Amino acid sequence: MVTYLIRRILIGIPVLLGVTLINFLIINLAPGSPADLYLSPTATPEDVARTETALGLDKPVFVQYLNWLTQLLHGNLGVSFQNREPVTQLIADRIGPTLLLMGTSLVIAYLVAIPIGIFAARRRNTAADYGVVGASFLGISVPHFFLGLAMIYVFALTLGWFPTGGMVTLGRGGGFADRVSHLVLPVVVLATGVAAGMVRYVRSSMIDAFGQDYIRTAKAKGLGASVITNKHALRNALIPVVTVIGIDLSALIGGAIVTEQIFQWPGIGLLTIQSIGARDYAVLMGINLIAAIAVFAANLLTDIAYAVVDPRVAYA
Amino acid sequence: MSARTTHRLSAGLAAIGLLLIPTACTGNAGSGGGGGDTLYVGTVNPPASFNPINQSDVGGQFAVRFAMDTLLDQPEPLKFVPKLADSIESKDNKTFTVKLHAGAKWSDGQPITAKDVVYTINLIANRDSLTTLGGNVTALTGVDATGKLPKGQAAVPGLTAPDDTTVVFTTKTPVDPNYVKEMIGTKVVIMPEHVLAKSTPAQIDDSKFAQLPDVTSGPYKFTKYTQNASIEYAANPDYYGGAPKIGKLIMKIMPASNLAGELQTGSIMMNSGGGIGNIPFQDLKTVKAFKDVNTKVNPTIGFQTIQFNVKTFADPRLRAGLAHAINRKQIVDELLLGNGEVIDGPYTSQSPFLDKNLKTLSYDPVLAKKLLTEAGWDFSRKINFVVPTGNKIRERSADILLQNFKAIGLNVVQTNYDFPTTLAKARAKDHDMVLMGLTFNIDPDVSNMYSSTGSFNLTGYNSPESDKLLLAGKSAAKPEARHQIYNQLQALWQADMPVLTLYSDHAVAATNKSVAVGGATAFWPGTVANVGQWAFEGAN
């Protein structure tokens, strides 16, 4: 297992480097200079040149990439073009809110989706099953921005139960209740999407499992329905579900761009979209790297989780 | 997972649900509504920077001006009021004397003196400093056309501080005192020499001070900036203009579409001026219906243009033909819902320099086609029309323009790019027509855009007559003489038509009725002119 992990991590390093290189090239392929964004439209070419030098944009692209890599080896992701804050600091400030939002959403989504998926599979082709499948379709189809705006309209503007956005009430310190009330609407929006998809995975995976010979054997042995479901079927059905959870996990770090923007949640997703708008290459590279590492780590965790849920899987 | 676990999970979920509902109800939903000691301002564009001398956008200028003062303020076009300076005077329009307000202090207790003013201007003119204010000091003796001193020189010749409250500087030629008052008096934010002198000019843009000034001169002090989310301020009790009446000020940064909702719940008490907190016009009716919000629609000095490449459209009749083909009233009526104006040239109704006798070009597709045909335009020729993204109304105006051009049989191909790409293409003249929004100063000098050597001349317009008049206008010291010159220029530009102004959009200023003093004004520098006096209803 340990050798397996070491091997995977060693393979991961060139992959991550490749990802950063491709990102760097794509970002730099965009025409126009970020310096233009940081100067008034009437700036002279000398002003533009002075700003490009200050941002290090006057050097050839590969030199810029090498400089970035050198900085990276020193644990430094550079400074934001926009306000010269260190990128590591910016990401560190944003990662907490994103983890809180995504973590809460995922946990709630799984807690809702897994029991419902099992329930629907056990009552396959009944009215209850059709209801669950229909609702999950609706959940998948409703775009986040629409659900988010509708929730803001109903629960924030009309009923006044929750705030329209943000993470805490600014200037009021923000106690626990304040934080929770800010968390509710975005979590509901995100959890709806994740749960809707997860219900369908769990349901179909369970239906597959119910059709297996070992279930027939278990039934023939005279085992009770709940033992068959939870001991025999669920454990096998969870294997494909673990893959889906792994994919979801990588979003923990990447954040939810649309939802964070609608609710002005100060997380990585909002930072990403704002940095794209501002052509803040340094911040974008930092976020890309962190997101790539998150995907890599999530994949690794998924593989390890396989071994836990499926004893047939062994690593060497 | 056993059946019991599943049940336990469901029970847990129900418990979480029950827990959330009461917390939600007691949660601070309408946070910040009405009165109190904190004023919440809604804004859309986050500041690109807090460096007072390196501000590329109004977002940054607006945010800095709550905490940092200039020498003068301009609450209305060409009306100047004292700030750090009591006066800026000149007898010959060439040697200017600034008299500073005695007793003004930095937030760390140090006095604000003439040396700070001299330091700031020298810093802007220094070749190594990063600044967007170079264009504001080009009139001074000894600096080049970009406002910079020769390499190795650190002091602007003739710029002196005879005593602690007097600054003297000279200009190369006599200039309109209003030009100096606006460009230097109201735009140059004075920097604290005792904080910054230890850094070289090149280091200042990267300094901690430039990230969020910690020693300030204005009515409020910065307390916290959460990037692209909020800017928090606290009153400066020792402000030379008197301690502010509102203790805390928080600028909340949000998408424009959220402004109306936040005004409704009282989470913000006003939107910001200067085009950085614009409430979308489709929300105007809703906002006007709010009982506790005052709403006003004001004209602005910003405007949107279509810039013609004069190489493609060499004959002025071609440009005039294109201009006549455009239905600008339709853009104002349908996209701005009537909240805008149609003008020709760079001066809106807010500018004292707009020639109101100049009739705007008519929408006349028949005349348009006639002019283009007379000038020998090949209607099958592809016209490359570049549209920058970012401003939704401008993007949609391109749809109307495209229909207008198609209606007279032109072959126009539209391409949308993000703003930096559009600007790069426009600068390289890699376009036949490009849309561009602009905001100049109240001072009428627009050489940047119309002069043959202007840094923002995106059309390739090169008219010796226009160049001559622009130079004359810039160096004329008497306001009446300037009016006459700029009237001539407006007529000339209308005839030559390198640039057609499509519209100038108005801005919605919404202020909660709990605010007695304060709020966005028609002319945005006026919004920040009296921040120190802002107060809630019922305050002393």
Side-chain angles (χ1 to χ4, degrees):
Chain A
M1 186 73 166
V2 175
T3 31
Y4 171 77
L5 278 182
I6 293 172
R7 207 171 61 220
R8 279 290 298 266
I9 290 169
L10 286 179
I11 294 171
I13 291 171
V15 173
L16 286 177
L17 273 180
V19 169
T20 60
L21 179 64
I22 291 169
N23 276 329
F24 198 85
L25 291 177
I26 290 177
I27 289 173
N28 277 283
L29 269 180
S33 165
D36 279 329
L37 274 182
Y38 308 116
L39 292 168
S40 63
T42 50
T44 59
E46 289 85 5
D47 291 333
V48 176
R50 207 173 289 122
T51 306
E52 284 186 344
T53 312
L55 297 176
L57 292 168
D58 54 337
K59 301 189 180 68
V61 173
F62 71 93
V63 177
Q64 290 181 42
Y65 180 68
L66 285 181
N67 287 346
W68 183 81
L69 269 188
T70 319
Q71 278 182 339
L72 182 67
L73 288 177
H74 293 89
N76 177 0
L77 287 172
V79 291
S80 156
F81 285 4
Q82 265 197 96
N83 64 351
R84 308 298 162 85
E85 241 187 278
V87 174
T88 37
Q89 184 60 45
L90 275 174
I91 293 179
D93 288 348
R94 298 304 185 101
I95 216 153
T98 287
L99 281 175
L100 176 67
L101 177 67
M102 299 305 293
T104 316
S105 305
L106 290 183
V107 168
I108 290 183
Y110 298 151
L111 290 183
V112 174
I114 294 174
I116 292 180
I118 296 169
F119 167 83
R122 282 177 68 170
R123 284 171 184 66
R124 191 181 170 193
N125 296 338
T126 63
D129 179 34
Y130 294 145
V132 169
V133 172
S136 74
F137 256 125
L138 194 69
I140 293 173
S141 322
V142 175
H144 283 180
F145 75 87
F146 175 79
L147 189 60
L149 292 176
M151 304 264 296
I152 289 177
Y153 180 74
V154 176
F155 294 104
L157 295 183
T158 311
L159 298 173
W161 289 0
F162 301 103
T164 49
M167 194 168 83
V168 289
T169 304
L170 291 166
R172 297 274 162 90
F176 178 72
D178 184 47
R179 279 167 194 270
V180 172
S181 78
H182 281 85
L183 197 57
V184 174
L185 295 185
V187 162
V188 170
V189 170
L190 285 169
T192 303
V194 176
M198 184 54 74
V199 163
R200 292 172 49 74
Y201 281 117
V202 174
R203 177 183 172 275
S204 63
S205 198
M206 283 298 281
I207 288 173
D208 271 354
F210 282 142
Q212 298 296 325
D213 290 343
Y214 58 80
I215 297 293
R216 206 181 314 144
T217 311
K219 277 186 190 160
K221 279 199 292 184
L223 290 178
S226 70
V227 177
I228 292 175
T229 306
N230 297 313
K231 266 242 157 86
H232 294 251
L234 183 62
R235 187 147 183 198
N236 288 292
L238 276 182
I239 297 170
V241 172
V242 164
T243 317
V244 181
I245 293 180
I247 295 169
D248 286 345
L249 275 185
S250 53
L252 261 178
I253 306 292
I257 289 177
V258 174
T259 310
E260 286 188 7
Q261 204 181 7
I262 288 175
F263 290 98
Q264 287 302 292
W265 191 265
I268 297 275
L270 193 62
L271 182 67
T272 310
I273 202 82
Q274 285 158 341
S275 304
I276 292 172
R279 293 274 186 107
D280 201 330
Y281 294 174
V283 177
L284 285 176
M285 283 304 292
I287 294 173
N288 277 330
L289 178 68
I290 301 285
I293 292 175
V295 172
F296 175 74
N299 277 326
L300 198 60
L301 278 177
T302 311
D303 289 347
I304 295 168
Y306 271 153
V308 178
V309 291
D310 186 354
R312 288 169 301 178
V313 178
Y315 297 104
Chain B
M1 203 184 288
S2 70
R4 217 175 293 137
T5 327
T6 319
H7 289 148
R8 232 185 276 144
L9 283 180
S10 318
L13 265 176
I16 292 173
L18 285 173
L19 199 113
L20 287 182
I21 293 163
T23 3
C25 296
T26 51
N28 219 339
S31 38
D37 195 38
T38 309
L39 179 75
Y40 293 83
V41 182
T43 192
V44 177
N45 299 34
S49 139
F50 282 98
N51 182 349
I53 61 161
N54 199 17
Q55 297 285 351
S56 59
D57 64 338
V58 178
Q61 292 168 27
F62 192 77
V64 164
R65 292 292 294 280
F66 282 79
M68 299 284 285
D69 276 357
T70 46
L71 294 171
L72 300 174
D73 255 320
Q74 187 176 204
E76 285 163 38
L78 297 188
K79 183 187 162 200
F80 298 95
V81 296
K83 214 55 184 280
L84 280 173
D86 287 333
S87 65
I88 300 182
E89 304 290 345
S90 174
K91 288 202 179 78
D92 57 359
N93 293 336
K94 215 171 161 299
T95 304
F96 289 84
T97 307
V98 183
K99 276 280 169 202
L100 291 184
H101 182 96
K105 283 195 173 82
W106 293 107
S107 58
D108 62 357
Q110 295 288 316
I112 302 174
T113 71
K115 282 197 192 121
D116 292 311
V117 179
V118 171
Y119 169 77
T120 306
I121 295 175
N122 280 335
L123 178 64
I124 291 168
N126 194 294
R127 198 141 278 279
D128 297 330
S129 68
L130 283 175
T131 178
T132 47
L133 291 173
N136 290 57
V137 299
T138 51
L140 296 181
T141 324
V143 301
D144 65 12
T146 65
K148 290 288 180 187
L149 288 163
K151 200 156 186 65
Q153 199 177 317
V156 173
L159 172 67
T160 56
D163 61 57
D164 271 357
T165 56
T166 312
V167 178
V168 178
F169 56 83
T170 58
T171 56
K172 290 173 205 143
T173 53
V175 290
D176 181 355
N178 282 339
Y179 174 84
V180 170
K181 284 181 186 173
E182 182 180 7
M183 301 303 271
I184 295 178
T186 73
K187 303 270 168 156
V188 173
V189 173
I190 304 306
M191 306 273 271
E193 184 185 15
H194 67 282
V195 177
L196 299 170
K198 55 183 184 288
S199 310
T200 65
Q203 287 168 341
I204 286 183
D205 199 50
D206 284 327
S207 69
K208 212 175 139 273
F209 178 87
Q211 281 172 25
L212 195 68
D214 47 358
V215 175
T216 54
S217 56
Y220 285 87
K221 296 188 259 197
F222 289 111
T223 48
K224 193 177 168 197
Y225 174 52
T226 310
Q227 197 184 12
N228 299 329
S230 63
I231 312 164
E232 301 181 35
Y233 303 84
N236 171 9
D238 304 320
Y239 184 53
Y240 63 90
K245 296 187 176 70
I246 298 173
K248 276 200 279 185
L249 206 143
I250 294 178
M251 230 177 264
K252 286 174 82 172
I253 301 163
M254 60 188 71
S257 52
N258 288 20
L259 288 168
E262 299 258 325
L263 276 165
Q264 186 185 2
T265 57
S267 310
I268 57 170
M269 291 140 194
M270 60 175 72
N271 64 329
S272 56
I276 56 164
N278 281 352
I279 295 171
F281 293 123
Q282 64 264 30
D283 292 345
L284 181 56
K285 228 171 104 188
T286 318
V287 175
K288 275 188 171 162
F290 296 157
K291 273 195 229 76
D292 42 4
V293 175
N294 285 321
T295 313
K296 257 186 91 179
V297 181
N298 296 315
T300 62
I301 52 169
F303 56 95
Q304 296 291 335
T305 64
I306 179 164
Q307 313 234 350
F308 304 117
N309 188 335
V310 297
K311 214 166 158 196
T312 314
F313 308 106
D315 189 327
R317 284 176 299 178
L318 292 175
R319 275 123 53 190
L322 292 168
H324 279 295
I326 297 170
N327 189 348
R328 293 183 282 175
K329 193 174 173 298
Q330 188 192 359
I331 297 177
V332 171
D333 288 347
E334 289 181 10
L335 301 184
L336 307 179
L337 308 177
N339 301 294
E341 57 189 36
V342 171
I343 39 157
D344 284 355
Y347 310 119
T348 73
S349 67
Q350 224 188 23
S351 166
F353 289 88
L354 170 70
D355 181 1
K356 294 203 169 81
N357 297 319
L358 191 72
K359 228 176 134 247
T360 51
L361 286 192
S362 59
Y363 166 56
D364 190 341
V366 179
L367 176 64
K369 195 154 183 175
K370 189 168 156 265
L371 285 168
L372 284 155
T373 315
E374 274 176 16
W377 181 257
D378 169 10
F379 281 80
S380 66
R381 184 170 165 185
K382 208 173 94 178
I383 300 172
N384 171 15
F385 179 31
V386 176
V387 177
T389 54
N391 176 330
K392 285 282 164 248
I393 291 182
R394 181 171 59 205
E395 280 173 54
R396 288 174 61 198
S397 78
D399 299 339
I400 292 182
L401 293 174
L402 210 59
Q403 284 169 20
N404 290 163
F405 293 136
K406 285 225 168 98
I408 60 162
L410 290 171
N411 178 16
V412 178
V413 181
Q414 178 193 335
T415 327
N416 290 24
Y417 296 103
D418 72 335
F419 188 75
T421 312
T422 304
L423 197 57
K425 287 198 165 280
R427 284 218 165 102
K429 312 274 189 300
D430 184 11
H431 66 92
D432 296 321
M433 309 188 283
V434 61
L435 295 189
M436 194 59 66
L438 290 148
T439 302
F440 286 101
N441 301 299
I442 286 297
D443 188 87
D445 178 38
V446 284
S447 314
N448 268 326
M449 184 160 91
Y450 286 99
S451 155
S452 57
T453 54
S455 63
F456 207 63
N457 181 337
L458 307 177
T459 57
Y461 178 56
N462 183 353
S463 154
E465 198 186 345
S466 164
D467 281 0
K468 208 177 84 196
L469 284 168
L470 278 169
L471 214 60
K474 211 173 159 179
S475 49
K478 290 220 170 66
E480 310 79 56
R482 297 190 87 194
H483 271 282
Q484 215 182 353
I485 293 168
Y486 288 102
N487 282 354
Q488 283 178 45
L489 275 169
Q490 286 171 68
L492 176 67
W493 293 331
Q494 193 184 52
D496 281 352
M497 195 47 67
V499 175
L500 175 71
T501 303
L502 294 172
Y503 58 87
S504 166
D505 41 358
H506 294 166
V508 180
T511 312
N512 194 293
K513 287 181 181 160
S514 65
V515 179
V517 184
T521 57
F523 180 53
W524 86 259
T527 309
V528 290
N530 66 339
V531 171
Q533 279 109 49
W534 285 10
F536 285 116
E537 208 61 70
N540 296 322

